[in-house]
Amino acid sequence: MRILIVEDDINLNRQLAEALKEAGYVVDTAFDGEEGHFLGDTEPYDAIILDIGLPEMDGITVLEKWRGAGRATPVLILTARDRWSDKVAGIDAGADDYVAKPFHVEEVLARIRALIRRAAGHASSEIVCGPVRLDTKSSKATVDGKQLKLTSHEYRLLAYLMHHKGEVVSRTELVEHMYDQDFDRDSNTIEVFVGRLRKKMGVDLIETVRGLGYRIQAPTNAN
């Protein structure tokens, strides 16, 4: 899963980025509204953290431009605690949720997890498909109750496919959501990670759809 942070406070931006990376996300950062708008308009993100008070272009304007262009990426806005008007303006502009400063990073992480789950149609923090269970809160995956030992890339791949279970996901889409903008992307590595995941899981879960990509089929009784 790939997150964009648009926050001009360098220390806060770094703090959020480090926490998200530790939680298993790929993170891109921007420090002003113009750069943030450009990234959110040209790169595919699973969620965006957007500060309201930004230089060059304020957060409300950035959000309005994204929504006006049809960008539906979930957006969590950061507001000042005593500025209720910012919260209202942000929600009216198309924000999905907000957090007031100062805040606990754990709250931001929880809200980001919830936004990504809801965008993919999942209500619970656990996504289940057959014997495989993905706990988005702890960033762990299990098969028949036994925890899988996955690398960060393997976890991201499995998490993205399980969030989008039942859908065919192309290699290009997987690459775009597994690596940040500066990474030397190679879609051929996806096949390697899929092979490793299949071996570690030991279950026939990931289907190759020839010429299109990969799919995790959702059992009719899955969450």
Side-chain angles (χ1 to χ4, degrees), residues 3-187:
I3 310 294
L4 171 65
I5 301 171
V6 190
E7 166 60 64
D8 63 315
D9 184 315
I10 295 176
N11 290 330
L12 180 56
N13 195 314
R14 183 184 301 113
Q15 182 184 11
L16 287 169
E18 289 176 353
L20 285 161
K21 288 176 182 177
E22 277 188 22
Y25 296 98
V26 176
V27 181
D28 290 333
T29 58
F31 297 89
D32 63 66
E34 287 189 354
E35 182 186 14
H37 171 259
F38 174 77
L39 288 175
D41 201 40
T42 57
E43 295 286 337
Y45 294 102
D46 296 290
I48 297 173
I49 298 173
L50 176 67
D51 185 33
I52 293 296
L54 292 168
E56 307 301 334
M57 185 188 302
D58 67 88
I60 298 296
T61 301
V62 171
L63 183 54
E64 288 175 339
K65 285 180 175 289
W66 284 337
R67 296 307 190 227
R71 307 296 179 194
T73 307
V75 174
L76 173 70
I77 56 172
L78 306 179
T79 71
R81 184 173 295 279
D82 59 348
R83 290 289 298 275
W84 63 266
S85 58
D86 283 348
K87 302 170 188 176
V88 173
I91 297 298
D92 283 344
D96 299 274
D97 199 357
Y98 70 85
V99 171
K101 297 179 180 179
F103 51 77
H104 293 289
V105 172
E106 289 78 8
E107 180 182 1
V108 173
L109 292 175
R111 292 182 181 275
I112 285 295
R113 289 194 299 268
L115 288 181
I116 292 175
R117 288 198 311 268
R118 289 200 294 267
H122 303 290
S124 172
S125 62
E126 290 190 336
I127 302 174
V128 182
C129 192
V132 180
R133 184 180 297 268
L134 184 79
D135 186 337
T136 61
K137 183 178 179 180
S138 63
S139 300
K140 293 183 181 354
T142 59
V143 176
D144 291 326
K146 184 178 180 180
Q147 184 177 331
L148 293 171
K149 294 182 179 180
L150 303 177
T151 66
S152 59
H153 287 93
E154 290 165 356
Y155 175 80
R156 290 171 195 159
L157 175 58
L158 179 61
Y160 194 83
L161 288 174
M162 289 193 69
H163 272 85
H164 298 273
K165 62 184 180 181
E167 304 174 21
V168 177
V169 182
S170 70
R171 289 185 182 183
T172 299
E173 182 176 347
L174 287 168
V175 167
E176 289 175 338
H177 288 265
M178 285 177 61
Y179 302 114
D180 61 41
Q181 61 173 334
D182 297 324
F183 195 88
D184 185 14
R185 302 168 183 175
D186 182 0
S187 64

Side-chain angles (χ1 to χ4, degrees), residues 206-220:
I206 303 175
E207 173 191 3
T208 299
V209 182
R210 190 173 298 278
L212 296 176
Y214 300 97
R215 173 174 55 199
I216 287 181
Q217 287 287 16
T220 54

